[in-house]
C-alpha cells in the first residue's frame, strides 16, 4: 500500500547549495520482513541520487488493518 501525498515542499542542502523543490511524499506501508527488499529496490527506481527512506514501527493500530498489512506483504 502506497499513498501519494502531493503538494510537499522540501528545502534541503545539496552539493553546497540550498534548494527548495516541490515533491510528492510517498507513504509506503510494508512489513519489517520486507524492508530489506524495499531498501534494495528503491534506489533503482527513484530518480534522486540519494532518495529518502525512513522506517517507523507501527506500535499500535486497528488489528484488522495490521492483519491485512501482514498478509498483503508476505
Amino acid at each position: 500500500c502506497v499513498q501519494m501525498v502531493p503538494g510537499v515542499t522540501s528545502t534541503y542542502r545539496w552539493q553546497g547549495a540550498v534548494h527548495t523543490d516541490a515533491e510528492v511524499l510517498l507513504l509506503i506501508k510494508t512489513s519489517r520482513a520486507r524492508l530489506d527488499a524495499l531498501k534494495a529496490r528503491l534506489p533503482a527506481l527513484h530518480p534522486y541520487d540519494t532518495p529518502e527512506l525512513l522506517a517507523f514501527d507501527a506500535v499500535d493500530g486497528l488489528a484488522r488493518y495490521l492483519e491485512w498489512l501482514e498478509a498483503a506483504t508476505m
Side-chain angles (χ1 to χ4, degrees):
C1 179
V2 178
Q3 294 172 312
M4 298 173 64
V5 182
V8 173
T9 301
S10 293
T11 302
Y12 56 95
R13 185 177 303 277
W14 183 253
Q15 298 180 341
V18 175
H19 299 264
T20 299
D21 290 303
E23 296 186 314
V24 174
L25 174 67
L26 300 180
L27 300 175
I28 304 170
K29 294 162 213 107
T30 191
S31 64
R32 181 171 290 281
R34 300 292 301 151
L35 183 57
D36 284 342
L38 176 61
K39 287 163 68 173
R41 186 70 177 126
L42 181 68
L45 297 174
H46 203 286
Y48 289 1
D49 291 337
T50 307
E52 177 183 357
L53 174 61
L54 301 172
F56 300 93
D57 284 326
V59 296
D60 200 1
L62 293 174
R64 189 169 176 183
Y65 180 82
L66 296 173
E67 291 165 5
W68 167 83
L69 179 61
E70 188 66 30
T73 58
M74 294 181 81

